[in-house]
Amino acid sequence: MLIRKPSEIPSSLITPRTQYLNRRRFLRGALSGAAVAGAAALGVDRAAELISPRTAALAGTKLPTVKSPLSTTGEELTPYQDITTYNNFYEFGVPKGDPSRNAGVLPTRPWTVKVEGLVNKPKTFDIDTLLKMRPLEDRIYRHRCVEAWSMVIPWVGYSLSELLKQVEPQSKAKYVQFLSYYDKHVEKWSDESNIFWPYSEGLRLDEAMHPLTLLTFGLYGEVLPNQDGAPVRIVVPWKYGFKSAKSIVTIRLVEKQPHTTWNDQGPQEYGFFSNVNPNVDHPRWSQKTERRIGLPLFSQRRQTLMFNGYADQVTSLYNGMDLRKYY
Ligand SMILES: Nc1nc2c(c(=O)[nH]1)N[C@H]1C(S)=C(S)[C@@H](COP(=O)(O)O)O[C@H]1N2
Ligand SMILES: [Mo]
């Protein structure tokens, strides 16, 4: 497959951001017009289905944010264009450009996140309640995919611990499982891979409670585009990207280590912990270096940092653990 990477497109071809957004809004308008016309021919019930809440329209809405002391500094931000067109979101297709083309059909309203399992106060949160529960922070993080590419992304959200504290985890709870939205009629591309849906990820409870673990609603100060995991996702910056489940609907506190999607796919290749670690190679490639997306080709290659550069904050979580064994 030959796809021109965003970084290889001359900047003269990159649409300025405002123009790009206006065009998208225009296209969306045109599309919903077509949906209404098409719906008239189908009868009322189908019509309601076609026009019903489909909130790609929310993507790009400004979010009120405060600066975060936990932001990574001194890194050049990856352009919005790259963050939103070079994605892994297998529910919407395997090639990196497919999620940005297909994820518009994800219905991001109404949306709830159910927090259940070993907690004293299980609760189903409406997404708009979650959005207002705590001040939203601008948090810049390095983002390192297991495929050895990376970005620097200004996310918007607050620490997941703020939500977990509210439901009061019981002492038996040792792990947290995250489940993504799944509807094979909406995510028609999901059969391109043999993943056992819904996408499932997990963290040890202390990892989930770490302040760096972000409950994420936006990027670049705006509501997440669907392809980046709208309306809410997890971001765990010291781990490979696949640990950060997108478009989550369930958070479950459990006693035993939950099954996780990439570990199911290849346990020798993708461990449960999957901390970014330049000293432990993937069986099929090195993890010593990475390619920073969005930079000129000659300057993309760089050293991968232990725990993706967050060692000062997270090393203590793994005291006494053999990180080769627990990869
Ligand atoms: N539900 C779901 N979450 C997912 C994935 C996915 O395919 N489905 N891909 C993961 C992988 S491999 C990575 S690298 C990141 C990518 O996030 P981004 O596209 O916003 O950069 O999302 C992770 N979360
Ligand atoms: Mo990834």
Side-chain angles (χ1 to χ4, degrees):
M1 195 179 358
L2 228 170
I3 304 175
R4 275 232 276 184
K5 294 185 203 80
S7 53
E8 293 159 9
I9 301 171
S11 58
S12 59
L13 287 180
I14 298 176
T15 324
R17 170 126 176 79
T18 42
Q19 210 177 312
Y20 163 78
L21 284 174
N22 287 338
R23 192 173 63 214
R24 280 192 358 201
R25 289 201 180 103
F26 170 76
L27 283 174
R28 227 180 276 131
L31 281 176
S32 39
V36 174
L42 285 167
V44 184
D45 287 346
R46 281 292 286 148
E49 222 173 279
L50 280 175
I51 309 164
S52 75
R54 122 152 9 176
T55 20
L58 284 178
T61 308
K62 281 258 168 281
L63 289 168
T65 58
V66 297
K67 280 210 161 72
S68 173
L70 297 175
S71 264
T72 300
T73 53
E75 294 262 22
E76 193 181 331
L77 297 183
T78 302
Y80 182 87
Q81 176 77 18
D82 296 310
I83 298 173
T84 57
T85 58
Y86 190 86
N87 300 100
N88 277 334
F89 199 167
Y90 278 25
E91 289 89 329
F92 295 101
V94 172
K96 300 277 185 285
D98 276 11
S100 61
R101 278 189 287 272
N102 301 333
V105 299
L106 180 73
T108 57
R109 288 294 186 293
W111 190 279
T112 56
V113 178
K114 192 172 187 185
V115 190
E116 60 179 26
L118 302 172
V119 295
N120 292 334
K121 297 181 170 166
K123 190 170 167 182
T124 299
F125 294 85
D126 183 77
I127 185 67
D128 293 306
T129 308
L130 274 185
L131 263 165
K132 286 181 215 128
M133 209 171 75
R134 301 287 309 168
L136 297 171
E137 299 171 26
D138 276 310
R139 280 239 201 129
I140 300 167
Y141 282 158
R142 289 181 210 91
H143 179 64
R144 171 62 157 81
C145 178
V146 72
E147 299 165 298
W149 51 264
S150 65
M151 299 187 188
V152 180
I153 305 184
W155 298 112
V156 175
Y158 51 79
S159 298
L160 174 67
S161 62
E162 303 282 0
L163 173 61
L164 293 179
K165 276 183 228 156
Q166 289 215 1
V167 295
E168 298 180 7
Q170 297 168 357
S171 57
K172 270 172 74 180
K174 293 289 182 295
Y175 294 89
V176 185
Q177 182 178 24
F178 306 97
L179 296 170
S180 295
Y181 170 95
Y182 181 60
D183 182 337
K184 69 175 180 205
H185 303 292
V186 173
E187 293 159 323
K188 301 189 285 266
W189 306 266
S190 58
D191 60 8
E192 287 177 19
S193 60
N194 61 356
I195 285 173
F196 173 66
W197 304 107
Y199 195 93
S200 164
E201 257 309 332
L203 297 170
R204 228 171 43 195
L205 183 58
D206 58 343
E207 297 176 319
M209 292 297 288
H210 193 283
L212 286 178
T213 301
L214 194 68
L215 191 65
T216 307
F217 304 90
L219 62 84
Y220 269 108
E222 301 176 350
V223 168
L224 282 173
N226 292 357
Q227 60 268 31
D228 287 278
V232 60
R233 67 176 294 175
I234 302 296
V235 173
V236 195
W238 70 94
K239 294 179 180 278
Y240 293 119
F242 66 84
K243 295 298 292 180
S244 299
K246 292 180 171 180
S247 307
I248 55 167
V249 293
T250 304
I251 299 178
R252 188 178 291 155
L253 285 92
V254 294
E255 192 173 354
K256 300 220 166 67
Q257 186 177 305
H259 90 92
T260 58
T261 292
W262 286 97
N263 190 249
D264 295 343
Q265 289 286 303
Q268 349 35 27
E269 305 196 5
Y270 312 102
F272 176 79
F273 285 93
S274 284
N275 293 314
V276 174
N277 188 340
N279 308 316
V280 178
D281 288 338
H282 184 278
R284 292 183 280 138
W285 59 81
S286 166
Q287 294 292 24
K288 286 194 172 51
T289 66
E290 64 199 50
R291 193 171 61 83
R292 181 64 55 85
I293 304 290
L295 295 180
L297 278 181
F298 65 88
S299 59
Q300 288 190 352
R301 190 57 60 185
R302 60 191 56 223
Q303 299 293 316
T304 288
L305 305 171
M306 187 65 200
F307 294 116
N308 205 23
Y310 301 98
D312 287 351
Q313 291 105 305
V314 302
T315 304
S316 62
L317 291 171
Y318 309 103
N319 277 344
M321 270 175 69
D322 178 352
L323 296 177
R324 274 181 191 284
K325 185 169 173 210
Y326 298 100
Y327 56 94

